[in-house]
Structures are given as structure tokens and as C-alpha cells.
Amino acid sequence: MIQTHQSLKQYNTFGIDHSSRYFVKASSAAEIKEALREARRMELPVLVLGGGSNILFTQDFDGMVVKPELLGIELTDRQSDRITVAAGAGVVWDDLVVWCVDRGWGGLENLSHIPGTVGAAPVQNIGAYGAEVGDAIDRVEGIYIDTLEPFVFLAADCAFGYRSSIFKTELKGRILITRVFFSLSAHPQSNTDYGRIEQELQNQPDKSVHSVRQAIIAIRSQKLPDPAKIGNAGSFFKNPVVTESLASQIRADYPQIPLYPADVSGYCKLPAAFLIEKAGWKGVRRGRVGVHTDQPLVLLAYEGAKGQEVLDLSLLICESVQEKFGILLEPEVNIL
Ligand code: EPU
């Protein structure tokens, strides 16, 4: 059923109170198509919303928000070590991780506790602790918003990159993902090279996918604020990709800055958290918004904060990082 002037406060993890002119929760392919037809008839822009964990609303949305609630997780294929699992776009991401980990199947455990839905995961190619979802995706199914034609994209055609995919670039705003197929391993080798995973695993009985999940949860909960307690959308900015020569200039002043490999040769990725901290923003609070004390890449919206206040703070941070390091930070969060 189409609702009007629906507050989006409970539908975004910043907890920002803007509304949408029309709002539909669609729990079947038929309901999704009906909503999209209606939007087209009224000539309204459409916003597909997952868990709202990567979006900042700075104004009311004068269009139709469609929230796909297609559920269900199933095993669709098994060939020796490879398992294919399909999940509906509306499945809560971490419920899928639990479902796979409970069966001992590997590939998603490093992505434990990431907020959001299955349908949103491929869009920004969610990643954490040395893993990216694109590496575990077999294919993505959905429909084009304007024609209602179905599509299937194999992983190789999704243009997965660091926090990016074809769904966020070329097809931005033009598609709605309905189902994602994952290719998992029945006999997983755990991926524990990133940061403190190995150290945390010492508190676990073994290196099973279950133990890796527990280690990841422990690390995340020490650093990342729970959106149920305080409004946030995880990392607000992407880690910037810069030339190796700029990175070594910065390293001359800050020898302790870690450098990560980038997708392109001659470039490397720097931790935005480090730059923001050195620009003096760690733990800073300005009225109803602030910068997290343990992970300065995360911006916080306290009760009653406006989206514009978060955006203004992000712009101030960008300015000072640019002034100090000559690097322009790019938001990771979608700003509307
Ligand atoms: N750092 C600081 N000060 C701090 C915290 C971190 O200088 O207070 C520096 C340290 O040098 C640290 C480095 O930042 O080694 C990296 O920190 P962390 O491991 O927390 O990761 P990140 O690069 O800041 C990225 C993702 C996170 C993901 C973590 C773990 C992006 C934009 N963010 O953060 O993803 O959980 O790695 O893999 O790539 C998200 O996308 O919402 C998100 C939380």
C-alpha cells in the first residue's frame, strides 16, 4: 500500500527526520512493479531504500521511496566445494551472514555485523576486514526502474571496485535489485590478515568461520558506534586513493601512517581516519552532530540533528583535510 508523507526517521540509521511524499514497502515482485508503474504514471523520481545505513537525508524527498522486502534465503546449487546461496533483497545482511556461518560455509564471515540489507550490499560493494562482497557474489538479479525489464548481471559485469559497482555509477538510480546469488566455500580457508583479526582469534577456540565472525564482531564493537544507540552511517568518507609520491610526502611527516594497496598501480589508499584525526577532528562535537572518538571516519547525529548539520560538519572536515594534506575526501554515504 502506498503511504503519503511518511517520516523516514526509522528508515535511516542517522535517524534524520525527513519525509517522503510517497512510500511503499513491497514484499513481492508484483508489488514492486505496481509501485514503479504508479511512480511512472505520476512522473515521480524513485528512491530504492535498503536498510538506510548508507544515506543522509538533507531534505524531504519529493518522490516515491520503494523499500523492497523480498525475503528468503536458499541453497540453489552445490558442486563439490562451491555452494550457491540466493537471498532476497530485503533480507537483513547480517541474517544472511549468520545463516551461512551456521552451516560452516565461508565467504561472508568477515562482513559480519555490517548494517543494511542484501539488496544494498552489491551497490556499494560493502567491504570490511580484508573482504569485499563482490568477491563472494555470483550474480545479481533485478529490474530496470523505467522499463520494468528484468536483468541478471554476473559478478564480472558488475564492475566491482572499492566501495563501487555499476549499480552506483552507470546504472545509478536506474535499477532495483531483487535477489543476489553468492558463491561460498564448503571448506573455507579463513581470511585473517587484516588488522587485529589474528590477535582477536586468540580468544576463540579455533579459526572456523564462526570464530572469525566472533573476532570481527569483537573488533567492530570496540570501534564502531551502534546505530541503534546513536545515529550514524558507518564510514562517512571513503579512504582516499592518492599517488604514491603524495603518499610518501605525507609519510615523511607522519611515518606511522599505514598505506594500503589501491586498484591502480602508482597509487595507494590512505586511511581517511588518520587524516581526519591529524586535522584535529577526532571526538569533536558541534551541537547535535560530532565525530566519533574511536573511529573519526564516523560522523554522529545526536537526537534531533538535521541532515544539513551533518553535511555542514562533513564539509568543514573536508576543508581542513584538504588544507592540511591537499587531499579531497569523497563521501561514501549517499547524500540526498
Ligand atoms: N585510524 C586513526 N585513528 C583512529 C582510527 C583509525 O588514525 O582513531 C587509522 C589507523 O591508522 C588505522 C586505520 O585508520 O590503522 C584504519 O582504520 P580501520 O581499520 O578502522 O579501517 P578504516 O580504513 O578506517 C575501513 C572501512 C570500514 C571497515 C574498516 C575495516 C572505508 C571507508 N571504511 O575503515 O567500513 O569496517 O575498514 O575493514 O573503507 C563502512 O564502510 O561504513 C565501514 C565502517
Side-chain angles (χ1 to χ4, degrees):
M1 201 187 59
I2 300 181
Q3 282 150 321
T4 50
H5 301 291
Q6 168 69 47
S7 164
L8 298 171
K9 187 169 163 58
Q10 57 171 310
Y11 297 110
N12 72 97
T13 59
F14 266 122
I16 304 290
D17 194 6
H18 278 299
S19 64
S20 178
R21 189 161 147 207
Y22 297 99
F23 179 92
V24 189
K25 283 185 187 173
S27 51
S28 67
E31 283 180 21
I32 288 174
K33 285 186 178 168
E34 194 188 315
L36 295 180
R37 265 191 217 106
E38 202 50 23
R40 192 168 54 189
R41 196 183 60 76
M42 293 190 278
E43 296 181 7
L44 294 172
V46 169
L47 173 71
V48 181
L49 195 62
S53 53
N54 202 41
I55 194 160
L56 176 66
F57 290 105
T58 60
Q59 55 187 342
D60 291 342
F61 181 61
D62 191 21
M64 185 182 288
V65 166
V66 178
K67 193 166 161 39
E69 297 215 314
L70 304 167
L71 301 178
I73 307 176
E74 57 179 328
L75 168 70
T76 59
D77 191 27
R78 180 168 197 157
Q79 308 226 354
S80 60
D81 178 54
R82 295 318 293 176
I83 308 263
T84 310
V85 168
V91 170
V92 170
W93 172 259
D94 200 53
D95 291 352
L96 171 67
V97 178
V98 170
W99 197 90
C100 298
V101 164
D102 280 352
R103 286 160 179 77
W105 299 340
L108 305 184
E109 61 281 1
N110 290 44
L111 305 176
S112 288
H113 266 206
I114 295 184
T117 58
V118 165
V123 178
Q124 57 145 347
N125 189 16
I126 57 169
Y129 304 101
E132 282 185 341
V133 77
D135 295 331
I137 285 178
D138 177 70
R139 59 192 192 272
V140 177
E141 283 183 357
I143 57 174
Y144 289 98
I145 290 175
D146 53 354
T147 60
L148 305 185
E149 286 296 316
F151 68 76
V152 181
F153 277 85
L154 298 179
D157 300 322
C158 292
F160 288 124
Y162 169 57
R163 292 297 194 276
S164 181
S165 75
I166 195 167
F167 312 113
K168 207 181 162 184
T169 51
E170 215 176 295
L171 296 177
K172 187 175 171 146
R174 291 175 47 204
I175 52 98
L176 182 151
I177 291 170
T178 50
R179 200 153 66 136
V180 185
F181 290 73
F182 299 88
S183 174
L184 306 173
S185 170
H187 305 288
Q189 296 269 317
S190 45
N191 161 10
T192 58
D193 294 341
Y194 188 96
R196 291 190 16 240
I197 305 180
E198 280 291 343
Q199 201 181 321
E200 270 303 328
L201 270 174
Q202 284 166 16
N203 302 323
Q204 299 296 329
D206 51 34
K207 286 191 169 194
S208 65
V209 286
H210 181 263
S211 296
V212 173
R213 173 174 166 80
Q214 297 313 315
I216 300 285
I217 291 174
I219 299 170
R220 284 185 74 94
S221 61
Q222 285 156 23
K223 282 199 158 186
L224 295 169
D226 179 356
K229 296 190 184 130
I230 172 139
N232 75 89
S235 302
F236 192 90
F237 300 101
K238 288 194 211 175
N239 284 330
V241 173
V242 304
T243 59
E244 277 170 359
S245 84
L246 178 55
S248 38
Q249 278 172 39
I250 294 174
R251 215 175 208 182
D253 294 332
Y254 300 96
Q256 70 281 33
I257 191 171
L259 308 180
Y260 307 121
D263 297 340
V264 193
S265 81
Y267 287 80
C268 59
K269 217 172 353 162
L270 299 179
F274 186 97
L275 306 176
I276 296 170
E277 176 173 346
K278 295 301 174 219
W281 286 100
K282 184 165 169 156
V284 169
R285 180 164 177 177
R286 292 273 168 95
R288 295 181 291 196
V289 295
V291 181
H292 191 49
T293 349
D294 302 322
Q295 176 37 290
L297 200 44
V298 179
L299 302 191
L300 304 172
Y302 295 92
E303 189 52 37
K306 300 275 182 226
Q308 189 61 46
E309 293 168 330
V310 180
L311 182 60
D312 290 345
L313 176 67
S314 78
L315 294 173
L316 289 174
I317 294 170
C318 264
E319 258 171 50
S320 42
V321 168
Q322 167 116 55
E323 218 166 89
K324 194 170 174 65
F325 297 101
I327 294 175
L328 181 63
L329 294 179
E330 229 186 281
E332 200 228 312
V333 165
N334 294 304
I335 297 167
L336 210 95

